[in-house]
């Protein structure tokens, strides 16, 4: 287990820290850090950056992923727009969840509502080396939906 220092931003005071809701949970629940009595309405097709009132200090070699909550996505069509949103280890600002309402009715968020989940994960950085040729594979340059299908979609002659 990795230790992650957390700093509350003013409007996050009084809210519970993110927590794993079950022993086997991969994500910590993030809550909406709205003002007391304040509500945020996301109309169908609209997106909003929802504050969590938290900043974190991830160890080098880790990231935090802001992911949708499956219940919100299934029941209301509300999801994280840039899923997963990435929080880098050198970011010290407030974590926000960019939510989008893909449902057909407005969705209201209140202070303290669980709006997303945060997954802490290791990161591997790669060293890219330019080359003129890549090794051949059975799939080759087959793109979206092409695995196991002859003549899959390919975007341009140089697609990989």
């Amino acid at each position: 287990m990795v230790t992650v220092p957390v700093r509350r931003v003013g409007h996050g005071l009084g809210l519970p820290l993110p927590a794993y809701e079950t022993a086997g949970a991969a994500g910590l629940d993030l809550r909406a850090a709205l003002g007391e009595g304040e509500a945020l309405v996301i109309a169908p097709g609209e997106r909003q950056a929802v504050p969590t009132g938290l900043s974190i200090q991830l160890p080098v070699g880790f990231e935090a992923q802001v992911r949708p909550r499956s219940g919100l996505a299934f029941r209301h069509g509300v999801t994280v727009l840039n899923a997963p949103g990435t929080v880098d280890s050198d970011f010290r600002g407030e974590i926000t969840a960019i939510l989008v309402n893909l449902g057909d009715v407005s969705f209201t968020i209140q202070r303290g509502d669980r709006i997303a989940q945060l997954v802490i994960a290791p990161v591997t950085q790669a060293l890219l080396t330019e080359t003129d040729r890549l090794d051949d594979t059975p799939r080759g340059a087959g793109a979206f939906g092409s695995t196991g299908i002859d003549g899959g979609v390919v975007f341009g002659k140089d697609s990989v």
Side-chain angles (χ1 to χ4, degrees):
M1 180 172 288
V2 64
T3 300
V4 178
V6 177
R7 183 178 69 83
R8 294 180 197 262
V9 176
H11 46 272
L13 295 174
L15 291 174
L17 284 178
Y20 297 103
E21 296 297 322
T22 66
L28 300 142
D29 283 345
L30 292 173
R31 297 178 181 270
L34 303 174
E36 287 295 334
E38 181 182 352
L40 178 65
V41 178
I42 307 175
E46 186 179 43
R47 60 190 176 273
Q48 292 282 343
V50 183
T52 66
L54 301 171
S55 295
I56 59 176
Q57 182 179 321
L58 291 165
V60 172
F62 285 85
E63 69 164 327
Q65 300 172 2
V66 180
R67 296 185 183 185
R69 295 194 67 239
S70 57
L72 289 181
F74 180 70
R75 287 193 288 280
H76 305 285
V78 174
T79 188
V80 175
L81 186 59
N82 60 329
T86 298
V87 179
D88 296 309
S89 65
D90 58 351
F91 178 68
R92 295 297 183 267
E94 180 181 8
I95 297 171
T96 58
I98 303 170
L99 300 185
V100 63
N101 182 352
L102 301 176
D104 51 10
V105 297
S106 292
F107 182 74
T108 302
I109 299 170
Q110 306 284 341
R111 177 178 174 79
D113 285 352
R114 294 181 298 163
I115 54 164
Q117 54 184 325
L118 192 69
V119 174
I120 309 297
V123 171
T124 301
Q125 289 189 334
L127 175 63
L128 301 182
T129 59
E130 192 167 355
T131 183
D132 292 330
R133 182 157 173 25
L134 301 176
D135 294 343
D136 290 330
T137 68
R139 180 177 181 177
F144 300 110
S146 67
T147 305
I149 299 173
D150 289 336
V153 179
V154 177
F155 297 97
K157 66 180 179 71
D158 295 327
S159 294
V160 284

